[in-house]
Amino acid sequence: MTPTSITALRVHQLAQEVGLPLVGCAPASAMPELLPTLELYYAQGRASGFEHPVASERVAPQELLPGARALIAVALPYRTSETTSIRRPKGQRGLTSTYIWGEDYHRVLHDKLTLLSERLSQAVKGDVRTVTCVDTSPLLDRAVAVKAGLGWIGKNSCLITEAYGSWVFLGALLTDLEITEMTETEAFASDASALAPLHLDACGDCTLCLTACPTGALREPYVLDSQSCLSYLTQAKGTFPEPYRAALGKRLWGCDTCQTVCPHNKVSLLGDEPRFAPAAELAYPELRDVLRLSRRALMKRYGHTAGAWRGATVWKRNALIALGNMRDHAAVEDIVPYLEDPRPELRSSAAWALERIDPMHTREFVYSAWQKELDKQTKAEMAWAAAHVGDATTARDG
Ligand code: SF4
Ligand code: SF4
């Protein structure tokens, strides 16, 4: 064996040592077979806009690390026994996606992959070139995970692992190390669950996720329209599209529905990463608190999570819509000031929420804001109050 070669078994052992329970290795060859599907995804306008924009670079590891020989794909489970036992505190609470209940996975995975890279160098007693990929890398993370045998893609477009279902974060190390194949015996000795077979049709006749999706974003099996997916929409800046506001329900960040209903997630094991220990305030934020907190205070509370990267405004906008959906009369006093907010998406969301909660008693406030409103779209959203202002006067005088 040359100094730049290592067995897959040794890679598995090192990964376990740094707290990465699921790992698979594969050649760093290109995946051109995925290009047509990927290009269609972009061409049909289904991309979220958060992805790397050049399709060909998303399937070409060599673009990221010229001379790369192998990729090491990892999946880190984020649901722990604490996650499953967390209870909704009292009060008007919103809901966030489980993946932000603990520390930002970008940091956690990056730390572990950096450590793994160091361990690889120590193991081969030489310099090892690596590139760490966590979410923001151009490489298509789910395709890399499938290639390395970590799992399969479900009809909900999630990567599903045999051991942990789809409750996993994905990452990868590209390396110029040569990784020699693991024999069946070695695989068994390390961790058989790490080598989940590639179930290409593990969904069978099931369509639970397609039926449960609140917006129809899963257009057909394996076909996700990010533009109508609540997970994307809660993170996108600007005005929240009106057709999806009611479907947002109490969600403040992300959406777990198509994962929650999946039978593969009912039997999955739990992870034990302490940095993913959940906080009830993150899981179920008090909605009126979100409106009352300053930008700085909000970011202090959520800044360490994967839900902070778009800033405080999207949280406030989503909270306004969620309160509208909950028809919480007590929240009116917290919502009304947002009719005067400098951010148009908050003014329009406030007007929308007030109409849902109590149009009769709030239209005077909205009408007053409508009169001063200069933004065309926001003014249009407030127009319901102007149309009935006479009724409001009557209601007040009566
Ligand atoms: Fe639908 Fe929610 Fe899944 Fe997006 S995350 S596809 S909105 S169920
Ligand atoms: Fe597949 Fe059913 Fe899970 Fe959807 S819910 S990913 S169809 S098994």
Side-chain angles (χ1 to χ4, degrees):
M1 184 186 297
T2 68
T4 53
S5 174
I6 191 168
T7 64
L9 173 61
R10 188 72 187 118
V11 174
H12 275 247
Q13 290 167 340
L14 295 173
Q16 306 285 319
E17 284 172 23
V18 302
L20 292 166
L22 282 185
V23 57
C25 306
S29 51
M31 301 168 277
E33 67 281 5
L34 301 177
L35 255 186
T37 310
L38 199 52
E39 281 170 346
L40 196 65
Y41 176 66
Y42 286 104
Q44 291 179 335
R46 289 188 280 118
S48 69
F50 298 152
E51 306 97 334
H52 186 71
V54 185
S56 60
E57 291 176 6
R58 303 197 64 196
V59 297
Q62 298 285 336
E63 294 274 340
L64 211 53
L65 180 65
R69 287 183 184 152
L71 52 85
I72 301 167
V74 302
L76 181 61
Y78 56 87
R79 283 178 99 234
T80 65
S81 55
E82 290 169 292
T83 312
T84 53
S85 58
I86 202 163
R87 293 286 169 261
R88 183 192 293 263
K90 287 200 171 86
Q92 289 290 43
R93 299 279 168 170
L95 180 64
T96 62
S97 190
T98 319
Y99 79 90
I100 72 156
W101 291 7
E103 187 177 338
D104 187 342
Y105 67 94
H106 296 89
R107 293 205 294 241
V108 178
L109 256 182
H110 191 272
D111 289 352
K112 288 183 183 297
L113 287 170
T114 303
L115 205 52
L116 178 59
S117 177
E118 289 167 8
R119 297 280 172 97
L120 288 170
S121 291
Q122 288 161 6
V124 299
K125 297 186 173 57
D127 286 337
V128 176
R129 287 165 62 223
T130 56
V131 170
T132 304
C133 308
V134 181
D135 200 27
T136 50
S137 138
L139 271 191
L140 206 50
D141 54 5
R142 285 169 302 151
V144 166
V146 171
K147 188 178 170 79
L150 293 189
W152 67 95
I153 307 291
K155 290 178 186 174
N156 59 5
S157 292
C158 294
L159 186 283
I160 302 176
T161 68
E162 190 90 44
Y164 299 100
S166 60
W167 307 113
V168 290
F169 296 126
L170 300 177
L173 265 189
L174 272 177
T175 175
D176 63 349
L177 261 181
E178 184 186 344
I179 300 179
T180 54
E181 273 182 44
M182 178 155 46
T183 66
E184 227 170 283
T185 320
E186 286 169 337
F188 184 76
S190 62
D191 179 5
S193 68
L195 292 180
L198 192 64
H199 297 274
L200 284 176
D201 190 24
C203 291
D205 294 335
C206 178
T207 54
L208 284 173
C209 53
L210 287 109
T211 310
C213 176
T215 63
L218 293 168
R219 284 194 194 166
E220 51 186 280
Y222 313 104
V223 177
L224 171 70
D225 175 15
S226 297
Q227 294 294 324
S228 54
C229 171
L230 294 173
S231 187
Y232 158 72
L233 291 171
T234 52
Q235 302 176 50
K237 291 186 177 179
T239 303
F240 198 98
E242 201 280 332
Y244 305 119
R245 287 181 199 164
L248 184 67
K250 300 176 186 177
R251 296 175 183 83
L252 274 179
W253 184 275
C255 169
D256 282 345
T257 300
C258 59
Q259 295 193 81
T260 307
V261 299
C262 180
H264 293 292
N265 280 336
K266 304 255 186 288
V267 292
S268 55
L269 296 174
L270 297 171
D272 57 4
E273 172 55 51
R275 290 167 76 179
F276 295 147
E281 267 314 314
L282 285 171
Y284 304 105
E286 162 65 66
L287 289 167
R288 292 169 69 184
D289 248 17
V290 174
L291 295 188
R292 288 171 185 163
L293 289 173
S294 67
R295 188 199 65 81
R296 185 187 289 262
L298 252 183
M299 285 303 101
K300 195 172 172 203
R301 183 178 290 181
Y302 302 118
H304 66 291
T305 75
W309 71 290
R310 301 295 275 177
T313 303
V314 294
W315 280 80
K316 288 179 179 280
R317 178 202 60 192
N318 298 344
L320 287 165
I321 296 170
L323 283 165
N325 284 332
M326 293 168 86
R327 293 188 161 84
D328 179 8
H329 282 73
V332 166
E333 63 181 279
D334 294 299
I335 297 174
V336 166
Y338 281 93
L339 293 169
E340 307 279 338
D341 194 276
R343 294 157 287 191
E345 63 268 47
L346 299 192
R347 298 198 298 277
S348 59
S349 300
W352 184 86
L354 291 172
E355 185 185 20
R356 268 178 95 78
I357 296 171
D358 187 358
M360 178 66 82
H361 293 99
T362 62
R363 67 176 45 122
E364 261 195 292
F365 300 116
V366 182
Y367 175 66
S368 167
W370 175 84
Q371 286 181 306
K372 290 178 258 171
E373 184 59 58
L374 298 176
D375 180 76
K376 212 171 152 190
Q377 186 187 347
T378 309
K379 196 170 182 88
E381 295 228 23
M382 294 175 170
W384 64 267
H388 297 283
V389 72
D391 304 345
T393 311
T394 311
R396 181 200 58 202
D397 295 344

PDB file of all heavy atoms in Angstrom, residues 68-88:
ATOM      1  N   ALA A  68      -8.937  14.600  -7.448  1.00  0.00           N
ATOM      2  CA  ALA A  68      -9.640  13.843  -6.404  1.00  0.00           C
ATOM      3  C   ALA A  68      -9.783  12.379  -6.833  1.00  0.00           C
ATOM      4  O   ALA A  68     -10.100  12.097  -7.985  1.00  0.00           O
ATOM      5  CB  ALA A  68     -11.013  14.453  -6.149  1.00  0.00           C
ATOM      6  N   ARG A  69      -9.543  11.487  -5.900  1.00  0.00           N
ATOM      7  CA  ARG A  69      -9.702  10.057  -6.215  1.00  0.00           C
ATOM      8  C   ARG A  69     -10.944   9.458  -5.569  1.00  0.00           C
ATOM      9  O   ARG A  69     -11.516   8.508  -6.093  1.00  0.00           O
ATOM     10  CB  ARG A  69      -8.482   9.287  -5.710  1.00  0.00           C
ATOM     11  CG  ARG A  69      -7.236   9.491  -6.523  1.00  0.00           C
ATOM     12  CD  ARG A  69      -6.148   8.605  -5.944  1.00  0.00           C
ATOM     13  NE  ARG A  69      -4.896   8.838  -6.627  1.00  0.00           N
ATOM     14  CZ  ARG A  69      -3.714   8.672  -6.072  1.00  0.00           C
ATOM     15  NH1 ARG A  69      -3.631   8.279  -4.817  1.00  0.00           N
ATOM     16  NH2 ARG A  69      -2.620   8.886  -6.741  1.00  0.00           N
ATOM     17  N   ALA A  70     -11.284   9.981  -4.411  1.00  0.00           N
ATOM     18  CA  ALA A  70     -12.403   9.351  -3.681  1.00  0.00           C
ATOM     19  C   ALA A  70     -13.261  10.400  -2.999  1.00  0.00           C
ATOM     20  O   ALA A  70     -12.818  11.523  -2.741  1.00  0.00           O
ATOM     21  CB  ALA A  70     -11.849   8.396  -2.622  1.00  0.00           C
ATOM     22  N   LEU A  71     -14.477  10.018  -2.759  1.00  0.00           N
ATOM     23  CA  LEU A  71     -15.327  10.856  -1.917  1.00  0.00           C
ATOM     24  C   LEU A  71     -15.793  10.016  -0.737  1.00  0.00           C
ATOM     25  O   LEU A  71     -16.053   8.816  -0.849  1.00  0.00           O
ATOM     26  CB  LEU A  71     -16.485  11.459  -2.707  1.00  0.00           C
ATOM     27  CG  LEU A  71     -17.402  10.602  -3.537  1.00  0.00           C
ATOM     28  CD1 LEU A  71     -18.492  10.027  -2.680  1.00  0.00           C
ATOM     29  CD2 LEU A  71     -18.008  11.473  -4.642  1.00  0.00           C
ATOM     30  N   ILE A  72     -15.833  10.689   0.391  1.00  0.00           N
ATOM     31  CA  ILE A  72     -16.294  10.049   1.629  1.00  0.00           C
ATOM     32  C   ILE A  72     -17.581  10.765   2.014  1.00  0.00           C
ATOM     33  O   ILE A  72     -17.559  11.953   2.357  1.00  0.00           O
ATOM     34  CB  ILE A  72     -15.247  10.202   2.752  1.00  0.00           C
ATOM     35  CG1 ILE A  72     -13.909   9.571   2.314  1.00  0.00           C
ATOM     36  CG2 ILE A  72     -15.751   9.573   4.048  1.00  0.00           C
ATOM     37  CD1 ILE A  72     -12.738   9.946   3.223  1.00  0.00           C
ATOM     38  N   ALA A  73     -18.689  10.072   1.888  1.00  0.00           N
ATOM     39  CA  ALA A  73     -19.982  10.692   2.203  1.00  0.00           C
ATOM     40  C   ALA A  73     -20.376  10.328   3.625  1.00  0.00           C
ATOM     41  O   ALA A  73     -20.155   9.191   4.063  1.00  0.00           O
ATOM     42  CB  ALA A  73     -21.046  10.217   1.227  1.00  0.00           C
ATOM     43  N   VAL A  74     -20.940  11.288   4.345  1.00  0.00           N
ATOM     44  CA  VAL A  74     -21.379  11.017   5.715  1.00  0.00           C
ATOM     45  C   VAL A  74     -22.812  11.494   5.912  1.00  0.00           C
ATOM     46  O   VAL A  74     -23.274  12.409   5.228  1.00  0.00           O
ATOM     47  CB  VAL A  74     -20.464  11.704   6.768  1.00  0.00           C
ATOM     48  CG1 VAL A  74     -19.034  11.244   6.618  1.00  0.00           C
ATOM     49  CG2 VAL A  74     -20.549  13.227   6.681  1.00  0.00           C
ATOM     50  N   ALA A  75     -23.493  10.846   6.824  1.00  0.00           N
ATOM     51  CA  ALA A  75     -24.842  11.271   7.206  1.00  0.00           C
ATOM     52  C   ALA A  75     -24.882  11.303   8.729  1.00  0.00           C
ATOM     53  O   ALA A  75     -24.567  10.314   9.391  1.00  0.00           O
ATOM     54  CB  ALA A  75     -25.891  10.302   6.663  1.00  0.00           C
ATOM     55  N   LEU A  76     -25.219  12.453   9.263  1.00  0.00           N
ATOM     56  CA  LEU A  76     -25.227  12.631  10.719  1.00  0.00           C
ATOM     57  C   LEU A  76     -26.669  12.782  11.206  1.00  0.00           C
ATOM     58  O   LEU A  76     -27.353  13.750  10.856  1.00  0.00           O
ATOM     59  CB  LEU A  76     -24.406  13.886  11.073  1.00  0.00           C
ATOM     60  CG  LEU A  76     -24.273  14.240  12.549  1.00  0.00           C
ATOM     61  CD1 LEU A  76     -23.584  13.116  13.336  1.00  0.00           C
ATOM     62  CD2 LEU A  76     -23.473  15.534  12.712  1.00  0.00           C
ATOM     63  N   PRO A  77     -27.152  11.826  12.002  1.00  0.00           N
ATOM     64  CA  PRO A  77     -28.547  11.918  12.475  1.00  0.00           C
ATOM     65  C   PRO A  77     -28.733  13.066  13.452  1.00  0.00           C
ATOM     66  O   PRO A  77     -27.872  13.320  14.286  1.00  0.00           O
ATOM     67  CB  PRO A  77     -28.772  10.566  13.171  1.00  0.00           C
ATOM     68  CG  PRO A  77     -27.415  10.067  13.512  1.00  0.00           C
ATOM     69  CD  PRO A  77     -26.468  10.615  12.496  1.00  0.00           C
ATOM     70  N   TYR A  78     -29.869  13.759  13.313  1.00  0.00           N
ATOM     71  CA  TYR A  78     -30.076  14.903  14.209  1.00  0.00           C
ATOM     72  C   TYR A  78     -31.232  14.740  15.180  1.00  0.00           C
ATOM     73  O   TYR A  78     -31.444  15.584  16.046  1.00  0.00           O
ATOM     74  CB  TYR A  78     -30.229  16.204  13.413  1.00  0.00           C
ATOM     75  CG  TYR A  78     -31.315  16.277  12.367  1.00  0.00           C
ATOM     76  CD1 TYR A  78     -32.615  16.660  12.689  1.00  0.00           C
ATOM     77  CD2 TYR A  78     -31.021  16.017  11.035  1.00  0.00           C
ATOM     78  CE1 TYR A  78     -33.592  16.775  11.713  1.00  0.00           C
ATOM     79  CE2 TYR A  78     -31.993  16.120  10.041  1.00  0.00           C
ATOM     80  CZ  TYR A  78     -33.281  16.502  10.394  1.00  0.00           C
ATOM     81  OH  TYR A  78     -34.237  16.614   9.418  1.00  0.00           O
ATOM     82  N   ARG A  79     -31.980  13.675  15.084  1.00  0.00           N
ATOM     83  CA  ARG A  79     -33.036  13.453  16.083  1.00  0.00           C
ATOM     84  C   ARG A  79     -32.457  12.612  17.210  1.00  0.00           C
ATOM     85  O   ARG A  79     -31.861  11.563  16.968  1.00  0.00           O
ATOM     86  CB  ARG A  79     -34.231  12.730  15.468  1.00  0.00           C
ATOM     87  CG  ARG A  79     -35.105  13.642  14.639  1.00  0.00           C
ATOM     88  CD  ARG A  79     -36.226  12.869  14.018  1.00  0.00           C
ATOM     89  NE  ARG A  79     -37.476  12.989  14.734  1.00  0.00           N
ATOM     90  CZ  ARG A  79     -38.201  11.973  15.162  1.00  0.00           C
ATOM     91  NH1 ARG A  79     -37.800  10.735  14.985  1.00  0.00           N
ATOM     92  NH2 ARG A  79     -39.344  12.166  15.772  1.00  0.00           N
ATOM     93  N   THR A  80     -32.626  13.096  18.426  1.00  0.00           N
ATOM     94  CA  THR A  80     -32.107  12.380  19.589  1.00  0.00           C
ATOM     95  C   THR A  80     -33.292  12.010  20.483  1.00  0.00           C
ATOM     96  O   THR A  80     -34.429  12.401  20.214  1.00  0.00           O
ATOM     97  CB  THR A  80     -31.147  13.294  20.393  1.00  0.00           C
ATOM     98  OG1 THR A  80     -31.924  14.375  20.912  1.00  0.00           O
ATOM     99  CG2 THR A  80     -30.042  13.852  19.513  1.00  0.00           C
ATOM    100  N   SER A  81     -33.015  11.293  21.563  1.00  0.00           N
ATOM    101  CA  SER A  81     -34.120  10.934  22.471  1.00  0.00           C
ATOM    102  C   SER A  81     -34.731  12.203  23.068  1.00  0.00           C
ATOM    103  O   SER A  81     -35.927  12.270  23.344  1.00  0.00           O
ATOM    104  CB  SER A  81     -33.623  10.004  23.577  1.00  0.00           C
ATOM    105  OG  SER A  81     -32.541  10.603  24.246  1.00  0.00           O
ATOM    106  N   GLU A  82     -33.908  13.238  23.231  1.00  0.00           N
ATOM    107  CA  GLU A  82     -34.439  14.514  23.755  1.00  0.00           C
ATOM    108  C   GLU A  82     -35.379  15.164  22.735  1.00  0.00           C
ATOM    109  O   GLU A  82     -36.379  15.760  23.103  1.00  0.00           O
ATOM    110  CB  GLU A  82     -33.295  15.474  24.048  1.00  0.00           C
ATOM    111  CG  GLU A  82     -32.448  15.086  25.231  1.00  0.00           C
ATOM    112  CD  GLU A  82     -31.195  15.929  25.288  1.00  0.00           C
ATOM    113  OE1 GLU A  82     -30.336  15.779  24.404  1.00  0.00           O
ATOM    114  OE2 GLU A  82     -31.087  16.753  26.196  1.00  0.00           O
ATOM    115  N   THR A  83     -35.046  15.027  21.468  1.00  0.00           N
ATOM    116  CA  THR A  83     -35.891  15.621  20.423  1.00  0.00           C
ATOM    117  C   THR A  83     -37.286  15.024  20.481  1.00  0.00           C
ATOM    118  O   THR A  83     -38.288  15.732  20.370  1.00  0.00           O
ATOM    119  CB  THR A  83     -35.296  15.328  19.021  1.00  0.00           C
ATOM    120  OG1 THR A  83     -33.917  15.631  19.024  1.00  0.00           O
ATOM    121  CG2 THR A  83     -36.002  16.119  17.948  1.00  0.00           C
ATOM    122  N   THR A  84     -37.329  13.706  20.626  1.00  0.00           N
ATOM    123  CA  THR A  84     -38.624  13.041  20.562  1.00  0.00           C
ATOM    124  C   THR A  84     -39.444  13.256  21.839  1.00  0.00           C
ATOM    125  O   THR A  84     -40.646  13.061  21.835  1.00  0.00           O
ATOM    126  CB  THR A  84     -38.455  11.528  20.311  1.00  0.00           C
ATOM    127  OG1 THR A  84     -37.565  11.018  21.300  1.00  0.00           O
ATOM    128  CG2 THR A  84     -37.885  11.253  18.936  1.00  0.00           C
ATOM    129  N   SER A  85     -38.780  13.645  22.935  1.00  0.00           N
ATOM    130  CA  SER A  85     -39.543  13.818  24.180  1.00  0.00           C
ATOM    131  C   SER A  85     -39.872  15.281  24.464  1.00  0.00           C
ATOM    132  O   SER A  85     -40.532  15.583  25.459  1.00  0.00           O
ATOM    133  CB  SER A  85     -38.772  13.219  25.364  1.00  0.00           C
ATOM    134  OG  SER A  85     -37.515  13.830  25.462  1.00  0.00           O
ATOM    135  N   ILE A  86     -39.467  16.174  23.595  1.00  0.00           N
ATOM    136  CA  ILE A  86     -39.718  17.599  23.845  1.00  0.00           C
ATOM    137  C   ILE A  86     -41.217  17.886  23.757  1.00  0.00           C
ATOM    138  O   ILE A  86     -41.925  17.303  22.922  1.00  0.00           O
ATOM    139  CB  ILE A  86     -38.905  18.470  22.856  1.00  0.00           C
ATOM    140  CG1 ILE A  86     -38.706  19.870  23.401  1.00  0.00           C
ATOM    141  CG2 ILE A  86     -39.545  18.538  21.491  1.00  0.00           C
ATOM    142  CD1 ILE A  86     -37.608  20.634  22.696  1.00  0.00           C
ATOM    143  N   ARG A  87     -41.710  18.736  24.645  1.00  0.00           N
ATOM    144  CA  ARG A  87     -43.139  19.049  24.684  1.00  0.00           C
ATOM    145  C   ARG A  87     -43.365  20.515  24.347  1.00  0.00           C
ATOM    146  O   ARG A  87     -42.565  21.363  24.699  1.00  0.00           O
ATOM    147  CB  ARG A  87     -43.714  18.765  26.082  1.00  0.00           C
ATOM    148  CG  ARG A  87     -43.730  17.288  26.441  1.00  0.00           C
ATOM    149  CD  ARG A  87     -44.825  16.516  25.695  1.00  0.00           C
ATOM    150  NE  ARG A  87     -44.664  15.083  25.848  1.00  0.00           N
ATOM    151  CZ  ARG A  87     -44.093  14.288  24.940  1.00  0.00           C
ATOM    152  NH1 ARG A  87     -43.649  14.776  23.807  1.00  0.00           N
ATOM    153  NH2 ARG A  87     -43.985  12.996  25.140  1.00  0.00           N
ATOM    154  N   ARG A  88     -44.510  20.766  23.724  1.00  0.00           N
ATOM    155  CA  ARG A  88     -44.859  22.147  23.380  1.00  0.00           C
ATOM    156  C   ARG A  88     -45.195  22.930  24.653  1.00  0.00           C
ATOM    157  O   ARG A  88     -46.112  22.556  25.387  1.00  0.00           O
ATOM    158  CB  ARG A  88     -46.082  22.121  22.454  1.00  0.00           C
ATOM    159  CG  ARG A  88     -46.522  23.491  21.965  1.00  0.00           C
ATOM    160  CD  ARG A  88     -47.883  23.404  21.319  1.00  0.00           C
ATOM    161  NE  ARG A  88     -47.857  22.643  20.083  1.00  0.00           N
ATOM    162  CZ  ARG A  88     -47.766  23.170  18.883  1.00  0.00           C
ATOM    163  NH1 ARG A  88     -47.724  24.472  18.742  1.00  0.00           N
ATOM    164  NH2 ARG A  88     -47.735  22.416  17.806  1.00  0.00           N
TER     165      ARG A  88
END
